[in-house]
Amino acid sequence: MQKFKTDRRHAEPGKIKQICSFLLNGNMSEREIGKHLAVSTKLIARTRKKLLGLTIEERSKIVNLTNQEIEKLFYGNLYVSTPKASSENKYIPNYVELANQCLERKVEIAEVYKEYSQKAQSLGKEAFSQSYFTRIVGKEIQNIKSKEPNYYYAQDHAYGMSMEIDFSGATYELPTFNGMVKCWMMILTWPASYYIYGEFVSSQSTEESCRVIGNAIRYFKNRIPTEIVCDNAKCFVIKHNGSEAILNKSFANFVENLGSCVRAAPVRHPQTKSSVEYSVNLCQKMMNHEECKNQFNQTRTIREHCKLLQEFIDNRINKGPFRGSTTKTREYLFNTYELPVCRITNNIPQYEGFYKAIRVPRSYLIEVNKHEYSVPYKYIGEVVYVYIGNDEIIVKDGNTQIARHLRKDGLGRSIIEKHRPIEHQNIDTENAVYKTTDDVLKIAKNINENLYLFCYHKIEADRAAKKSVHSTIITCKSVIRLFKNSYDIEGVSEACKEILQEPSELWNCNQVKILTNQILERNSVNNNLITSGVSLIKSEDVSVHIRHLNKEDNQMALNNQESVEE
């Protein structure tokens, strides 16, 4: 085919001869000729105009002209001959390889030509003209596209530009330690490379969506797209006002703070985000495989199920063969072309969403998604505002932040010590000291030998009876506290020794306290009797005071009295 400098709408010489024959016969209209020869009426009109400029003799000889003469006649000075690839000192590239580069890298032919020219110059060769180069490479691109479709050839999305998100239509019952949980898959796809990220979500909510997007951005090495394309789910779009989508404010704020923007697909036009639609179908088919069913039937946390899901997506889809290619996989395209051109973010925002107003109870623990979080105890009885973030729980009093916790859904407590009253902090400090039975024995041994023996035998007896270690530690801790707080340490020490003569069922703090009081009373009686014995020597009535003492006690009293008199 010949090439012309300006008129890119030239026709083949043979076609021009046919048109001229029909026009010279004059039996058909331009529209009929165009329909018969499958050409435009504009071409026929231009040809008629050329014929009118010729003489009658030139018209009669036109069907006998060669192709080159026809082109010179109709295009004149615009005609130039095609440069020959065999010309001396021409740099002849691999046009098929260059066409593949254009499609794979998603760049214009002009950019590839610039690289070709630079390489030709570096080799000391002469480059073909850009128009010739563009025509040849363009043909090769068309040849490639006409063959069996190849994923990276057919795409027209720019790398790093957009990311599409969608939920699966199918639901999955996942076994967790808190029972079966109904979940959907949320899939994120880069349409240029078809790279996929997925997680399970327990609800199709704005909160869950932002959580997954935040995790995905971290997985993509903090790379963000220019735009996020979503459908018209309520978690993304509130309503459509004519052709304009009214976005969910919390979702729009999250994406804006991320440094990207939202584009909602038109209603009932899923082809706008065809890449993620196709990816969702792939993931749903993957979940039907026997290996996946067996793995996801095992009890795990939701987070562990999500991690396993991404491992399956990576191994079976992102790293797997894709449309006949085992080398240029989704992962290859993503790492080679997508990541280098994506913008990097250093801050993944927290999703605050719509706040919850909660009145702080006396325990100063507020509950969010079955987990309890502490707030400063001085706010007991006050109404605070709880924002459920992507990774954190933020508590505010008006506009003032009063607490921030890492988000931990499920049963449990997250407590910051400074939120507690000082009395409760002391209790926590003490509990931290008595963590194990070894801690108890070490503390008791440093205080008193009999106290240590009591704790030792109590621990051994409870261990043999298979009682709770926590209960044993509480008993020993109570006796140690009784010992520390008693004004008669010897009495408590003696009680710890004597209680071991009783059945082990009586080895508790209350019985030690009762025995200590008995010992104190007994010692008090003895002291009173001794004092009475002393006064007996000076008193006329003696028997009233000493009738309960035995001979040894009386003798001891007398001895004490003698020592006092001396």
Side-chain angles (χ1 to χ4, degrees), residues 170-396:
T171 58
Y172 305 91
E173 295 286 337
L174 300 179
T176 70
F177 297 103
N178 294 324
M180 302 297 291
V181 178
K182 179 181 177 181
C183 292
W184 291 263
M185 283 190 296
M186 182 174 175
I187 303 299
L188 298 87
T189 304
W190 296 82
S193 61
Y194 263 80
Y195 193 78
I196 301 173
Y197 178 86
E199 277 195 31
F200 290 111
V201 293
S202 56
S203 64
Q204 296 185 18
S205 64
T206 308
E207 174 190 344
E208 284 286 85
S209 302
C210 293
R211 178 183 65 80
V212 174
I213 291 173
N215 291 340
I217 296 303
R218 294 184 185 89
Y219 189 80
F220 299 145
K221 301 176 183 178
N222 282 22
R223 265 41 173 220
I224 58 172
T226 302
E227 65 174 6
I228 294 178
V229 183
C230 63
D231 59 11
N232 293 276
K234 289 294 183 184
C235 56
F236 307 133
V237 178
I238 297 176
K239 64 177 181 179
H240 272 268
N241 186 7
S243 60
E244 181 183 0
I246 308 301
L247 298 176
N248 181 305
K249 186 176 180 181
S250 297
F251 179 70
N253 287 341
F254 174 83
V255 176
E256 182 180 347
N257 292 333
L258 186 64
S260 187
C261 61
V262 181
R263 178 164 64 89
V267 179
R268 294 181 291 276
H269 282 77
Q271 64 271 19
T272 305
K273 53 182 185 61
S274 59
S275 301
V276 73
E277 296 281 349
Y278 176 69
S279 300
V280 167
N281 289 333
L282 277 183
C283 293
Q284 290 183 157
K285 289 179 181 178
M286 179 192 72
M287 291 294 290
N288 291 329
H289 290 174
E290 204 62 36
E291 183 184 358
C292 291
K293 289 181 178 179
N294 293 336
Q295 288 293 327
F296 288 109
N297 280 334
Q298 299 180 22
T299 302
R300 296 183 176 88
T301 64
I302 292 295
R303 184 172 295 181
E304 289 171 341
H305 280 300
C306 292
K307 183 178 179 182
L308 182 62
L309 174 63
Q310 186 57 35
E311 288 177 1
F312 272 112
I313 290 174
D314 278 338
N315 294 330
R316 288 179 171 268
I317 302 177
N318 289 336
K319 296 179 182 178
F322 186 55
R323 294 187 182 177
S325 176
T326 56
T327 55
K328 294 177 182 178
T329 61
R330 289 176 172 86
E331 185 181 56
Y332 164 78
L333 292 177
F334 179 74
N335 291 329
T336 306
Y337 302 112
E338 200 93 67
L339 283 183
V341 297
C342 285
R343 290 180 297 122
I344 300 177
T345 180
N346 296 320
N347 179 36
I348 299 176
Q350 297 298 322
Y351 170 74
E352 293 189 349
F354 296 106
Y355 62 80
K356 293 182 179 179
I358 299 179
R359 189 175 296 277
V360 180
R362 291 180 61 193
S363 64
Y364 50 88
L365 296 173
I366 58 175
E367 183 178 317
V368 179
N369 293 338
K370 298 182 180 181
H371 195 87
E372 292 182 315
Y373 302 91
S374 67
V375 296
Y377 72 94
K378 68 179 182 179
Y379 291 97
I380 291 175
E382 300 291 334
V383 175
V384 296
Y385 303 101
V386 182
Y387 296 83
I388 304 174
N390 187 31
D391 297 308
E392 294 182 314
I393 299 295
I394 302 171
V395 185
K396 294 184 178 181

